Amino acid sequence: MCVSALATIPFAAAARRALPQLHPTAAATSSSSLASRPAALRKANDSIGPSGIGCTSARADLTSPSLFHSGARARQQQSRPPRAPAPRREYFYHIDIHGYLYLHDTVPKNFVTSFKDLRFLDFFFSRLQLNDSGRHPEYKYLSPCGPEFNYVQSEDAPIVFTDLRQAGNGSHTLTWAGNLTVPFDPASLHVSARTGRLFHPAPPSHPLFPPWALTAQQQQHEGVPPLGLIRSALVQAALVDGLAEGEDGRSWVWGGVTYPITQCDI
């Protein structure tokens, strides 16, 4: 066949004529083996185009769980093990008789090295409670904050009143922490016979006893309520004159009125 004649025959027809003819037995074997394949595979083969990529439906059939081993399917269905809880972080603090808060290992402990941010102090002290965690029993108090446990030791009462402010109508408030306050009750002062320190009832929201009055026996014997310490600088600045007018430390004068002072013998 000359070149000019070949050019007039369509390329596809020429290609088919050039291919060797398949023997009938081989053709039958090929057809039977294709028929024995899973339907999903036949569908995938039928749908594979010139680029070798099957259609979406065929890919979905090939990834069906029914085509995989049952053990693999079971492993896929197993849930992931639960995540272990985050470890609890623990910190240790100290409160001195002036109401200053420090990290326990701070040296030296004085106003300069204490925490002074009022918002932080309010946040920390507003969460203060007895340490009932079962850990570090030498730290009597605890200020939890999310995953953090802040263990607290106090030199005396954990609540220390640092200022006395006039609130209007002749009433006053005692300040503690940063800017937290409690109404001042001049008829409810207590004095320690052992240390001579002056105390005022603790805020109702934080009924915390000083360390020396934590046992039920001590509280019952002495009738000691939850108390906050009035720091010595405040006593000297605002209360000392009234105390001097009292009788043997068992009473004091405030606003021209004499009030008793309850003595704690612990």
Side-chain angles (χ1 to χ4, degrees):
M1 183 181 297
C2 66
V3 175
S4 59
L6 182 61
T8 61
I9 300 176
F11 178 78
R16 285 196 298 271
R17 292 176 182 176
L19 290 173
Q21 295 296 316
L22 185 65
H23 192 276
T25 304
T29 303
S30 176
S31 299
S32 62
S33 62
L34 180 62
S36 64
R37 296 178 184 176
L41 292 178
R42 292 202 308 272
K43 184 177 180 181
N45 287 338
D46 294 341
S47 62
I48 294 177
S51 63
I53 301 176
C55 67
T56 303
S57 60
R59 291 198 299 272
D61 288 338
L62 285 171
T63 57
S64 172
S66 63
L67 297 180
F68 293 93
H69 191 273
S70 60
R73 182 170 64 250
R75 287 193 297 271
Q76 285 182 343
Q77 293 175 351
Q78 288 179 352
S79 60
R80 293 183 177 179
R83 175 179 291 183
R88 178 172 293 160
R89 299 189 296 272
E90 296 180 332
Y91 300 93
F92 302 90
Y93 290 82
H94 176 83
I95 302 171
D96 69 9
I97 59 173
H98 306 291
Y100 297 148
L101 177 69
Y102 315 88
L103 283 172
H104 195 275
D105 293 336
T106 299
V107 178
K109 291 179 172 65
N110 53 44
F111 174 75
V112 175
T113 59
S114 68
F115 290 95
K116 291 176 280 294
D117 186 276
L118 300 182
R119 292 174 299 176
F120 168 76
L121 293 173
D122 286 347
F123 180 87
F124 185 94
F125 279 92
S126 65
R127 287 158 175 76
L128 199 62
Q129 62 187 49
L130 286 175
N131 178 15
D132 57 0
S133 68
R135 292 177 57 80
H136 308 293
E138 67 276 18
Y139 291 82
K140 304 300 183 184
Y141 310 98
L142 175 69
S143 179
C145 177
E148 295 181 2
F149 265 26
N150 301 305
Y151 296 91
V152 182
Q153 282 183 342
S154 60
E155 191 171 346
D156 202 305
I159 293 175
V160 181
F161 299 112
T162 58
D163 196 10
L164 181 67
R165 301 175 183 174
Q166 189 166 357
N169 299 325
S171 64
H172 291 74
T173 59
L174 286 168
T175 303
W176 61 288
N179 277 317
L180 302 179
T181 61
V182 63
F184 175 58
D185 182 5
S188 299
L189 296 188
H190 290 65
V191 64
S192 169
R194 181 173 58 87
T195 64
R197 294 170 184 159
L198 200 62
F199 298 84
H200 182 277
S205 59
H206 292 75
L208 299 175
F209 290 89
W212 45 264
L214 281 178
T215 68
Q217 182 179 2
Q218 290 171 328
Q219 297 164 16
Q220 182 177 4
H221 176 70
E222 296 294 334
V224 178
L227 294 173
L229 174 66
I230 302 176
R231 74 172 178 177
S232 59
L234 178 57
V235 173
Q236 293 292 330
L239 306 179
V240 67
D241 291 339
L243 293 170
E245 296 178 27
E247 183 178 345
D248 297 330
R250 298 184 180 274
S251 65
W252 78 301
V253 178
W254 176 259
V257 180
T258 300
Y259 297 98
I261 298 178
T262 303
Q263 183 169 317
C264 302
D265 294 329
I266 301 176

